[in-house]
Amino acid sequence: MSDSIDIINAFALMTNFVILPALSYGSQLALGALAVTLVYSILRFSNFAQGDSMAFGTMIVILLTGFMIGKGWTITGIPTALLVIPIAVIGTSIYMLTMDRLVYRHYRRIKVKQNIVGITASIGVMFITGGIVRFILGASPQRFEDGERFIFSVREFKAFTGLEQGIALKTSQFLTITIAILLVAFLFYFLQKTKTGKAMRAYSDNTELALLSGIDPDKVVQITWLLVAALTTIAGALYGLDKGFAPQQYHLLLLPIFASVIVGGIGSPLGAIAGAFLVSFSEVLLTYAYKKFLIYLLPLSMHPNSLVQLIGTEYKYAISFVILVTVLLIRPTGLLKGKVIDGD
Amino acid sequence: MAYLEGTNLVAAYGVVPILHECSVEVEKGELAVIVGPNGAGKSTVMRVLLGMLEATAGEVKLDGQDISMLSTQERISQGLAFVPQNKNVFPSMTVEENLEMGGFLRLDDINKTIEEVYSLFPILYEKRKQLAEELSGGQRQQVAFGRAMMTQPSVMLLDEPTAGVSPIVMDEIFSNILDVRNAGMAVLMVEQNAQQALNIADKGYVLVSGRNEHTGTGSELINDPEVRKKFLGG
Ligand SMILES: Nc1ncnc2c1ncn2[C@@H]1O[C@H](COP(=O)(O)OP(=O)(O)O)[C@@H](O)[C@H]1O
Ligand SMILES: [Mg+2]
């Protein structure tokens, strides 16, 4: 390690340990946050079952992946999980539509205090869903990533650039970022340009006038759940490919996802995405140990002895929580001026 | 037998009775106006005609057919259109999207109808890419009216279409309403500006506490001393 200032290696280090992980984590949160935003805007409640629903979707992916690998139906280099996502989306859609029929529809028809009632109902669905996942897969962590693990590895990067500090691009990171961009582009196109998407926005904007325009509320609700199922399953699968699957971990994702939604301004899709990256970068930047980074940048005499880590990784959920509380206190409408969450 | 008839309508919100055997009707090519004090049940009559509130007695007929059992959506597709008193636009959608949503049920080309709305309200063409929430009160009422026009209805129900607009815009909206009436549509309108509305109305209803208090042609009501004293300010 040199004792002079080395900006390029410092940047490579940051890219490898902060920027790429935060970008992929942020993308996963963004998809989850968009699902919460859709449910909030159209079904008018804050869906506390989001984290466990992501576990449910991922469970189907894991089961199908195991089945495919068992049969030898794989494609070299491509994670099998990716191939089974479409089927898993269908499975999750069926589950969500069933839950809507069994639980949410009843409360939607009563039409009082929709958010607070919906939250309460979704907490029930959260426990049921989490229970189903643990019953089928067990509670212990597992990995389901196969195929090529890296687009390029640290060693390949070093050999190519001659830098001391390497950057690796994991397949899961690359897939996460690419798929998130494609999915978000599709979602925005769908909502902005298609007749069905516009009808969903109209329903969200002014339900009574939507009914007066002949928009079918049942269809709007069904399509919403289909989109939510796709976002949820894909977010869960990408998170699992990246960090491994554990039901408890998914359950806890609810906190950063809600922080993203509320920071961005609830009800605003763009806000949800912005919020997701704010949360992910805060989490990664605050829990990263800066020792090596500072050694690259500071003269020898100033090299730190400690890890220079602001917050231990075990406290990372506290970061979402602090962000959440701060926003609610200072700017309840969020960055992009969404709605203020209320009991109705 | 008129084109749209609500006969002896009785309705309540929960246990609170609002309408007591209230009747209104309107013929094609006719403008009927409902006036009356605040809370008289004028908006409630509209809601019952549209099936947004179930009547406990009475019936609604369209072109001789009993439509009392039809859902709001079915009544819309049968040719009823409604501009509600409040929240009558999609605020975070553009003017053009508001009109598109009005034509949601139509399977044919709606662009021609959009052009017609623009020629009726040229300002809306200028503002077509703007969000409805960014418009002035008068422009918003025009969007609301335009949205209802998009289904090419045979009956137009308007609940205070001139609320919160300037006198000039009010005259404009009234003249648009007369245009669609002259084109053969049946128009039933609730209005706060009773004097002006009765002036242009073919037929008027004065509603008090959910009951028909006075009925007559526009000029009959304007010239009725009792109506003048109680509802038209002398
Ligand atoms: N959704 C509702 N729930 C309960 N009462 C209502 C509701 N809407 C209106 N009312 C009551 O019904 C009565 C008639 O209301 P409305 O038809 O809106 O009167 P108008 O349009 O003539 O001013 C009023 O006393 C009003 O307070
Ligand atoms: Mg009213």
Side-chain angles (χ1 to χ4, degrees):
Chain A
M1 217 168 264
S2 71
D3 54 21
S4 61
I5 293 171
D6 187 346
I7 293 176
I8 293 183
N9 273 314
F11 180 72
L13 183 75
M14 280 311 261
T15 306
N16 196 39
F17 289 103
V18 173
I19 297 176
L20 282 177
L23 276 180
S24 39
Y25 178 43
S27 305
Q28 293 143 11
L29 286 184
L31 298 183
L34 282 170
V36 169
T37 300
L38 278 180
V39 172
Y40 184 81
S41 304
I42 293 166
L43 306 172
R44 309 211 185 281
F45 69 90
S46 313
N47 185 9
F48 273 52
Q50 182 60 33
D52 288 271
S53 302
M54 281 163 65
F56 186 93
T58 313
M59 173 187 79
I60 302 181
V61 169
I62 290 174
L63 293 174
L64 290 171
T65 302
F67 175 77
M68 299 278 279
I69 291 175
K71 291 270 183 200
W73 295 342
T74 58
I75 298 176
T76 321
I78 297 176
T80 310
L82 200 61
L83 305 177
V84 302
I85 279 180
I87 307 171
V89 168
I90 296 172
T92 312
S93 301
I94 293 170
Y95 179 71
M96 286 182 166
L97 289 171
T98 309
M99 282 299 160
D100 186 73
R101 180 55 69 89
L102 294 179
V103 182
Y104 299 123
R105 188 173 75 161
H106 172 69
Y107 296 110
R108 193 162 53 242
R109 296 205 166 155
I110 296 177
K111 265 192 187 155
V112 283
K113 301 243 173 245
Q114 288 196 67
N115 193 21
I116 216 74
V117 168
I119 286 173
T120 317
S122 74
I123 289 175
V125 172
M126 169 184 93
F127 283 122
I128 292 171
T129 310
I132 293 173
V133 172
R134 285 172 179 80
F135 181 75
I136 294 177
L137 279 189
S140 49
Q142 45 189 304
R143 294 206 70 95
F144 56 98
E145 193 186 12
D146 63 343
E148 210 61 60
R149 263 180 63 71
F150 292 100
I151 303 289
F152 54 83
S153 68
V154 167
R155 191 147 34 81
E156 285 163 342
F157 181 87
K158 282 185 186 167
F160 185 73
T161 60
L163 283 180
E164 175 188 270
Q165 186 57 53
I167 299 177
L169 180 59
K170 290 201 285 178
T171 310
S172 60
Q173 291 172 332
F174 172 76
L175 284 177
T176 294
I177 296 166
T178 321
I179 292 176
I181 291 172
L182 292 176
L183 195 54
V184 167
F186 164 78
L187 185 69
F188 277 78
Y189 172 81
F190 180 80
L191 291 175
Q192 292 301 321
K193 298 289 177 212
T194 68
K195 190 175 173 187
T196 311
K198 287 179 192 176
M200 287 173 65
R201 277 162 53 220
Y203 183 89
S204 158
D205 230 13
N206 187 341
T207 305
E208 191 160 284
L209 198 63
L211 302 181
L212 285 170
S213 304
I215 292 167
D216 180 355
D218 293 331
K219 213 177 235 167
V220 168
V221 169
Q222 282 163 14
I223 291 169
T224 305
W225 282 120
L226 295 186
L227 290 173
V228 169
L231 288 165
T232 300
T233 307
I234 294 172
L238 293 174
Y239 184 85
L241 283 175
D242 201 15
K243 299 204 167 69
F245 174 81
Q248 186 60 13
Q249 189 82 6
Y250 277 63
H251 174 75
L252 291 173
L253 274 179
L254 193 59
L255 192 54
I257 287 175
F258 266 78
S260 308
V261 169
I262 290 168
V263 169
I266 189 148
S268 152
L270 273 179
I273 296 170
F277 286 106
L278 192 109
V279 169
S280 73
F281 271 89
S282 307
E283 241 184 57
V284 178
L285 282 170
L286 289 172
T287 53
Y288 179 63
Y290 288 90
K291 181 175 181 184
K292 205 170 169 194
F293 179 68
L294 293 175
I295 288 176
Y296 276 128
L297 289 182
L298 297 174
L300 190 56
S301 58
M302 291 170 71
H303 281 184
N305 293 320
S306 68
L307 280 174
V308 205
Q309 185 181 21
L310 295 171
I311 299 174
T313 38
E314 59 272 42
Y315 291 115
K316 67 177 179 191
Y317 288 109
I319 296 169
S320 303
F321 196 68
V322 169
I323 293 176
L324 192 60
V325 171
T326 315
V327 170
L328 287 177
L329 285 176
I330 295 173
R331 196 180 156 92
T333 53
L335 298 176
L336 293 189
K337 221 169 132 260
K339 295 170 183 140
V340 180
I341 291 198
D342 59 22
D344 296 335
Chain B
M1 189 179 68
Y3 190 66
L4 176 71
E5 294 180 336
T7 316
N8 297 331
L9 301 172
V10 179
Y13 288 112
V15 293
V16 188
I18 305 292
L19 298 184
H20 310 275
E21 309 219 320
C22 170
S23 299
V24 291
E25 56 175 55
V26 60
E27 194 49 77
K28 277 194 166 182
E30 191 179 58
L31 168 62
V33 170
I34 307 177
V35 298
N38 256 328
K42 305 182 296 296
S43 297
T44 306
V45 172
M46 295 286 202
R47 296 176 64 85
V48 168
L49 291 174
L50 280 146
M52 298 163 76
L53 178 70
E54 212 178 316
T56 46
E59 64 176 3
V60 182
K61 276 188 176 173
L62 181 69
D63 202 9
Q65 304 281 325
D66 187 354
I67 58 167
S68 308
M69 287 303 147
L70 299 188
S71 71
T72 302
Q73 269 186 46
E74 288 165 328
R75 295 184 203 201
I76 301 287
S77 57
Q78 300 258 324
L80 261 57
F82 182 40
V83 179
Q85 181 175 356
N86 305 306
K87 297 197 188 167
N88 52 20
V89 296
F90 298 110
S92 58
M93 300 180 84
T94 64
V95 169
E96 189 144 302
E97 287 172 339
N98 267 272
L99 298 181
E100 285 173 27
M101 287 300 105
F104 184 81
L105 281 178
R106 284 180 48 191
L107 300 171
D108 55 335
D109 185 19
I110 61 170
N111 287 317
K112 242 187 82 195
T113 321
I114 293 183
E115 295 305 320
E116 282 168 27
V117 172
Y118 287 153
S119 58
L120 206 58
F121 304 110
I123 185 74
L124 296 190
Y125 178 74
E126 271 169 53
K127 308 252 172 183
R128 65 191 185 282
K129 299 283 174 216
Q130 275 194 37
L131 301 184
E133 66 191 353
E134 295 166 355
L135 303 183
S136 72
Q139 291 162 357
R140 229 181 285 188
Q141 290 290 9
Q142 297 179 347
V143 174
F145 191 86
R147 186 207 60 83
M149 291 285 294
M150 288 301 298
T151 47
Q152 296 184 313
S154 50
V155 183
M156 179 79 97
L157 302 162
L158 302 157
D159 196 348
E160 302 197 19
T162 64
V165 310
S166 68
I168 297 170
V169 177
M170 182 173 90
D171 286 344
E172 227 175 88
I173 291 178
F174 280 171
S175 104
N176 296 138
I177 290 170
L178 290 175
D179 284 348
V180 299
R181 179 202 66 180
N182 295 340
M185 210 182 281
V187 185
L188 179 63
M189 165 168 82
V190 169
E191 245 317 316
Q192 276 296 317
N193 304 299
Q195 176 84 47
Q196 291 92 326
L198 290 174
N199 259 327
I200 58 165
D202 299 306
K203 187 196 281 172
Y205 297 93
V206 180
L207 211 66
V208 179
S209 308
R211 290 188 174 85
N212 293 91
E213 190 99 354
H214 300 273
T215 306
T217 65
S219 52
E220 276 168 12
L221 290 176
I222 291 180
N223 296 317
D224 182 330
E226 204 190 323
V227 174
R228 290 189 69 87
K229 199 164 120 251
K230 282 207 245 166
F231 306 105
L232 302 175

